[in-house]
Amino acid sequence: MSSRPRNRADYTLTEETPKRRRSRLLWVVAVVVVAAAVELLIVYPNKVTKGQQQADFKSFVVTMRSDVLGCQVALQDGYHALARIHGGDTSQLGVANTILQQDEAYCTLAVNSDLYNLATLSPPNDLNQFNLTPVAHNLYSWAYPGAAGILADAETLLTKPHDQGAIENLRSRVHNMDFLLNSVNQDLAKISAQLNLSPQVVKLNPLTDMPTFVKAQLAS
């Protein structure tokens, strides 16, 4: 069989010189090197130090504390409004009701941007192995629906201080909030131990500043 005729317009049949082969090989090598470098940057990031993890973990806990603090203050403010009414200052009933409604709203992410930050908080990449996102979500749940719900029930107690439905709701909410906070602090303690840190904790209490007459009914 005769060989295929060489067509000057068909560049696939152009004879490849050693110089051209070297040039093509260099391009291939360059592409492979760049791809490998990109993979190293994406898949194998620089190894972080234990010190960096410790600092980032402490900062994460501080952020969680700061984000939930405003709702804790709002809860205590609502308690004070409720206590004033049942302490005899009934002329301020309308004012107290407005305060409780505002405090309840402040324990929602629609009004409180700190709670929005807490609900969407993600840890730095070097802490991904510790699965901290559910911890932040549990702390957010302490505020909403926990504290927000207590403030809603407190609005009922303004005019119906012995309403058993509201009291039972409060009892259930306090129990759930304590459970959530215990879970948060247990998780933080485990991670603290893994990072060789003293236990990092979030201190909250749904009973702080709760009016005495409400605490008495919860205890009965």
Side-chain angles (χ1 to χ4, degrees):
M1 178 181 295
S2 60
S3 61
R4 177 182 174 188
R6 187 175 298 277
N7 185 343
R8 295 295 181 186
D10 187 351
Y11 294 102
T12 64
L13 299 178
T14 302
E15 185 175 352
E16 188 173 49
T17 66
K19 182 178 179 179
R20 182 171 294 171
R21 282 197 298 270
R22 286 195 300 271
S23 178
R24 187 175 63 177
L25 180 60
L26 288 174
W27 275 108
V28 171
V29 170
V31 170
V32 170
V33 169
V34 170
V38 170
E39 183 175 1
L40 285 172
L41 289 173
I42 296 175
V43 181
Y44 302 104
N46 293 330
K47 185 178 180 180
V48 296
T49 65
K50 179 64 70 67
Q52 183 63 51
Q53 286 184 309
Q54 290 174 334
D56 285 347
F57 177 61
K58 288 180 179 179
S59 178
F60 187 85
V61 176
V62 168
T63 298
M64 289 199 305
R65 289 195 200 108
S66 300
D67 287 344
V68 78
L69 179 61
C71 177
Q72 165 78 354
V73 172
L75 181 60
Q76 294 171 311
D77 184 57
Y79 285 155
H80 293 157
L82 180 61
R84 283 197 298 272
I85 297 303
H86 291 285
D89 193 7
T90 55
S91 64
Q92 297 298 308
L93 181 61
V95 174
N97 190 65
T98 298
I99 290 173
L100 283 168
Q101 289 176 350
Q102 292 174 342
D103 288 334
E104 178 190 353
Y106 199 72
C107 284
T108 68
L109 55 77
V111 172
N112 187 344
S113 60
D114 287 339
L115 287 183
Y116 176 81
N117 182 61
L118 182 59
T120 58
L121 189 61
S122 296
N125 290 338
D126 61 322
L127 298 178
N128 282 343
Q129 70 190 85
F130 300 115
N131 198 26
L132 278 164
T133 299
V135 179
H137 288 172
N138 281 340
L139 191 59
Y140 167 72
S141 295
W142 187 95
Y144 182 86
I150 286 181
L151 288 162
D153 292 323
E155 293 173 39
T156 300
L157 296 178
L158 276 174
T159 55
K160 301 175 182 178
H162 302 291
D163 186 285
Q164 287 306 300
I167 294 299
E168 286 304 315
N169 282 343
L170 281 173
R171 182 177 288 112
S172 176
R173 295 187 200 282
V174 168
H175 174 77
N176 289 339
M177 291 165 74
D178 284 341
F179 176 83
L180 287 167
L181 189 62
N182 285 337
S183 177
V184 166
N185 283 327
Q186 286 173 8
D187 288 337
L188 294 181
K190 290 177 184 177
I191 298 169
S192 298
Q194 293 178 62
L195 292 174
N196 299 322
L197 291 170
S198 58
Q200 303 296 299
V201 298
V202 177
K203 295 181 179 179
L204 298 169
N205 191 334
L207 297 178
T208 301
D209 291 338
M210 180 179 280
T212 303
F213 82 91
V214 180
K215 286 184 179 179
Q217 292 187 82
L218 291 180
S220 63

